[in-house]
Amino acid sequence: MNKYLFTFKCFSRSIMAVFSRRFLFVSRDYLGITSPCVRTLSNSLSEVGKLEAPKLGSNYDTGQLFLHKVFGYRGVILFPWLARVYDRDLPTKKEISGKPEGDPPAFSPPVVGGQAKEIKGRTHTYYQVLIDGRDSPYITHRAQTESVTFLGNHSENTRNLYAIPGLDYVAHEDILPYSTQETNPLQHELFDKFLQYSEENDPPFVAQDTLRAWQEKNHPWLELSDVHKETTENIRVTVIPFYMGFRENQQNNVYWWRYCIRLENLGDATVQLRERNWRIFSLSGTLETVRGRGVVGQEPILSRDQPAFQYSSHVSLQAPSGHMWGTFRMEREDGYAFDCRIPPFSLESKQEDPNDPQILGN
């Protein structure tokens, strides 16, 4: 079991009720222990910092230290993104009143053999964050998105795929803010390049010019714009697509996207992901079906102790836009199986700057 996830599932109520107290985490020696919570309060705990009250009506600032509410890793906020969230679980005004909605934007995906449901996009704050390198080994089996991938400059005429480890996107409600007296509390090679300690500020870690320049230069492939959600039999699927760039391939361009998927078990019954079934539609007119066992080589189990799994993958089209949708085949412990819907999401390319992304100018 994830050491931090276990601690928060045990102590979340008392921690959240007393914000002024010091909070503690189970040390790595306790990784996997399932003993009662009181037995973990021994000399094997290490102090991390002081828990703060979550913000409800405003955003967190650059430099805010936090714990991921679901996956438990330590991180720091770099900057926010304002995303459009298309939640198919929320009723629309039309469904409630019987009258059409008047507020765009809306998302209406292509549907084969049925009628599409038009979903209202609601804005929501997500954050670009750095993950503490000390925690990465303990979350990779539950969250495989702790890196951001992108294509190199297409003018290089190469097929290179680059990755920056220890980057993630976190929803506002998944942030558990904390403070610390340490001047270098996070282990990541970009921490000192992006942030500097400033005692008079709150939080005391402020953005350097390198962070602002990096954000501006790499905005096209870092930007989070759309988030899609849908729940089937208490299994919620969240999809976030990212445009990565294109490559010239003989007479055609090949466009690439990365998509991040998070599965959450909102119920009590343990389920396991057995199969995936994707439909990929390209603006060129092709419709492809992809089936296979599990995802990213795994068949993750979603239980009350470990209710979430996250991963990312890639897709390419020979057209500048398209759509994806599909199902995950889920199986409960009693053998009951059902198809969990993957919400339809669009794949849209963006106008690219000829000076494509470079990590800190390297």
Side-chain angles (χ1 to χ4, degrees), residues 108-302:
S108 182
V111 172
V112 178
Q115 184 177 0
K117 175 184 179 182
E118 190 174 82
I119 306 301
K120 171 73 177 295
R122 295 168 170 85
T123 57
H124 191 68
T125 300
Y126 282 71
Y127 299 96
Q128 190 91 59
V129 308
L130 289 181
I131 300 174
D132 195 312
R134 293 169 294 185
D135 298 335
S136 292
Y138 298 92
I139 63 173
T140 53
H141 68 297
R142 302 306 300 175
Q144 297 198 350
T145 59
E146 67 280 1
S147 67
V148 170
T149 53
F150 63 96
L151 295 175
N153 192 325
H154 69 265
S155 63
E156 297 172 356
N157 196 27
T158 67
R159 298 178 181 273
N160 292 340
L161 179 67
Y162 299 93
I164 303 179
L167 278 178
D168 202 1
Y169 297 82
V170 183
H172 183 88
E173 63 273 15
D174 285 341
I175 297 290
L176 293 173
Y178 74 92
S179 61
T180 181
Q181 299 300 316
E182 297 182 49
T183 58
N184 192 10
L186 198 84
Q187 291 187 9
H188 192 289
E189 61 180 351
L190 296 180
F191 184 83
D192 291 334
K193 294 180 180 180
F194 286 165
L195 301 167
Q196 63 183 8
Y197 182 77
S198 177
E199 187 176 2
E200 63 271 14
N201 285 276
D202 183 23
F205 303 98
V206 297
Q208 299 191 55
D209 292 340
T210 50
L211 176 58
R212 300 186 185 95
W214 183 79
Q215 178 185 5
E216 181 178 355
K217 186 173 186 178
N218 300 307
H219 182 278
W221 58 271
L222 284 174
E223 182 182 13
L224 179 155
S225 56
D226 293 347
V227 178
H228 301 267
K229 297 185 176 186
E230 186 168 4
T231 302
T232 306
E233 299 201 28
N234 288 324
I235 305 299
R236 182 165 60 196
V237 178
T238 302
V239 184
I240 307 177
F242 299 88
Y243 178 60
M244 294 173 55
F246 72 91
R247 280 285 177 270
E248 294 182 359
N249 183 13
Q250 297 177 350
Q251 301 300 321
N252 299 318
N253 290 332
V254 179
Y255 299 83
W256 286 86
W257 290 265
R258 179 174 70 95
Y259 55 91
C260 172
I261 295 198
R262 176 163 151 183
L263 296 100
E264 294 177 87
N265 187 351
L266 306 180
D268 294 329
T270 298
V271 299
Q272 185 169 10
L273 191 158
R274 293 297 192 184
E275 299 175 357
R276 67 188 185 279
N277 184 353
W278 282 105
R279 306 296 297 276
I280 306 169
F281 173 78
S282 172
L283 188 62
S284 62
T286 62
L287 179 61
E288 182 182 2
T289 298
V290 178
R291 294 186 176 91
R293 295 287 297 180
V295 291
V296 291
Q298 298 189 51
E299 296 181 22
I301 297 174
L302 306 178

Side-chain angles (χ1 to χ4, degrees), residues 312-354:
S312 62
S313 190
H314 305 86
V315 64
S316 64
L317 301 176
Q318 291 186 345
S321 64
H323 288 83
M324 289 181 64
W325 68 97
T327 58
F328 292 125
R329 188 69 171 173
M330 313 298 293
E331 183 179 319
R332 294 179 184 160
E333 290 179 307
D334 60 5
Y336 172 73
F338 62 95
D339 287 328
C340 179
R341 292 183 298 274
I342 304 171
F345 58 97
S346 59
L347 302 170
E348 301 292 341
S349 61
K350 303 174 185 177
Q351 185 68 33
E352 294 188 52
D353 190 309

Side-chain angles (χ1 to χ4, degrees), residues 31-44:
L31 182 66
I33 274 200
T34 56
S35 305
C37 299
V38 292
R39 292 188 60 188
T40 65
L41 290 176
S42 66
N43 294 330
S44 295

Side-chain angles (χ1 to χ4, degrees), residues 6 15 50 139 187 206 249 309-311 335 337 345 347 362:
F6 171 68
I15 289 174
K50 181 180 178 182
I139 63 173
Q187 291 187 9
V206 297
N249 183 13
F309 181 83
Q310 197 166 284
Y311 76 95
F345 58 97
L347 302 170
N362 294 332

Side-chain angles (χ1 to χ4, degrees), residues 89-109:
D89 301 328
L90 297 178
T92 64
K93 292 179 183 179
K94 181 178 179 180
E95 291 174 323
I96 296 174
S97 65
K99 298 180 180 180
E101 290 187 85
D103 300 326
F107 179 75
S108 182

